[in-house]
Amino acid sequence: MNAKSAISKEIFAPHDERMLGAVQVKRRTKKKIPFLATGGQGEYLTYICLSVTNKKPPQASITKVKQFEGSTSFVRRTQWMLEQLRQVNGIDPNRDSPEFDLLFENAFDQWVANTASEKCTFFQVLHHTCQRYLTDRKPEFINCQSKIMGGNSILHSAADSVTSAVQKASQALNERGERLGRAEEKTEELKNSAQQFAETAHKLAMKHKC
């Protein structure tokens, strides 16, 4: 079981929460933390996790989870409700970068993800979650690449393409139907004309016969 699966099972499942995404991080700027604040356990790994409750109405939150050196278990540390998130800073919109900042109502952290792709995936999930679960005040996403902000742009583009194709096909069928309709009308007119000609010819033939 990888670390993220273990976090989901140990930290969130027991509280009837579902983990949506996680990113392993390190601080860009070191904070002076007293030895006792870490429980005297030395080095640790940090994960920023995004989760949502299973009960209704669902509530999303961001949680800082740590795994101390020499331990196989994970510890829940700080947790913020998603509503407390004010700003997500991607640092550089022009290149893949692992750095990012998170600004909450009462906290500000500067992080470096393990990889730029891991950060990108987390940002896409975070952006989608904000759009889905926040109805009023949503956080500001700044200095983010378009592929992050448009996590569903490919789906929307595909949907638009399908809709456009359906509309074009429908229009073509309607035009074909109109052409067929006009052809049928023309055929009917020719049929009536032929019938009238035949009747007239028959009358003339009978007249001359008499």
Side-chain angles (χ1 to χ4, degrees):
M1 183 183 298
N2 61 36
K4 293 176 184 179
S5 297
I7 291 172
S8 178
K9 182 178 180 180
E10 292 180 27
I11 301 296
F12 298 104
H15 296 276
D16 199 24
E17 294 177 79
R18 178 166 46 93
M19 192 176 81
L20 303 176
V23 57
Q24 184 180 338
V25 296
K26 291 182 179 179
R27 289 188 183 278
R28 290 211 313 277
T29 56
K30 294 288 185 180
K31 284 188 176 182
K32 294 183 178 179
I33 303 176
F35 179 74
L36 293 177
T38 64
Q41 295 174 305
E43 296 295 323
Y44 53 83
L45 299 177
T46 303
Y47 297 85
I48 302 298
C49 306
L50 180 64
S51 64
V52 64
T53 58
N54 290 319
K55 66 179 180 180
K56 296 184 178 181
Q59 293 184 321
S61 60
I62 296 175
T63 307
K64 189 187 303 179
V65 174
K66 293 184 177 182
Q67 182 184 35
F68 290 96
E69 188 177 23
S71 174
T72 57
S73 60
F74 297 87
V75 180
R76 183 193 294 253
R77 288 300 190 183
T78 313
Q79 185 175 50
W80 300 271
M81 299 307 297
L82 194 58
E83 291 86 351
Q84 294 178 284
L85 182 62
R86 291 290 171 258
Q87 187 184 84
V88 179
N89 189 342
I91 305 300
D92 193 338
N94 300 315
R95 67 181 181 89
D96 291 332
S97 166
E99 294 91 359
F100 67 95
D101 297 341
L102 295 179
L103 175 64
F104 297 93
E105 287 181 348
N106 57 353
F108 173 68
D109 283 317
Q110 297 176 307
W111 301 106
V112 180
N114 253 5
T115 64
S117 62
E118 192 175 352
K119 164 201 163 182
C120 179
T121 300
F122 181 75
F123 267 36
Q124 287 177 336
V125 175
L126 178 59
H127 184 261
H128 174 74
T129 303
C130 290
Q131 298 303 311
R132 180 175 181 180
Y133 293 104
L134 297 181
T135 55
D136 298 324
R137 186 174 180 180
K138 298 178 182 179
E140 179 186 21
F141 281 74
I142 63 172
N143 300 321
C144 294
Q145 293 177 292
S146 58
K147 63 181 179 181
I148 292 175
M149 298 301 295
N152 293 324
S153 61
I154 295 177
L155 293 177
H156 291 159
S157 177
D160 292 341
S161 298
V162 170
T163 300
S164 176
V166 170
Q167 291 175 342
K168 289 180 180 178
S170 178
Q171 182 179 357
L173 286 173
N174 289 336
E175 292 175 355
R176 184 181 178 187
E178 291 176 0
R179 289 197 297 269
L180 288 173
R182 288 196 295 269
E184 289 176 355
E185 291 176 0
K186 191 67 176 177
T187 301
E188 188 66 25
E189 289 176 3
L190 291 172
K191 181 181 177 182
N192 291 336
S193 297
Q195 186 174 355
Q196 290 177 359
F197 178 79
E199 290 176 354
T200 302
H202 178 69
K203 288 179 180 179
L204 287 173
M206 293 298 295
K207 182 178 181 181
H208 285 294
K209 185 177 181 180
C210 297

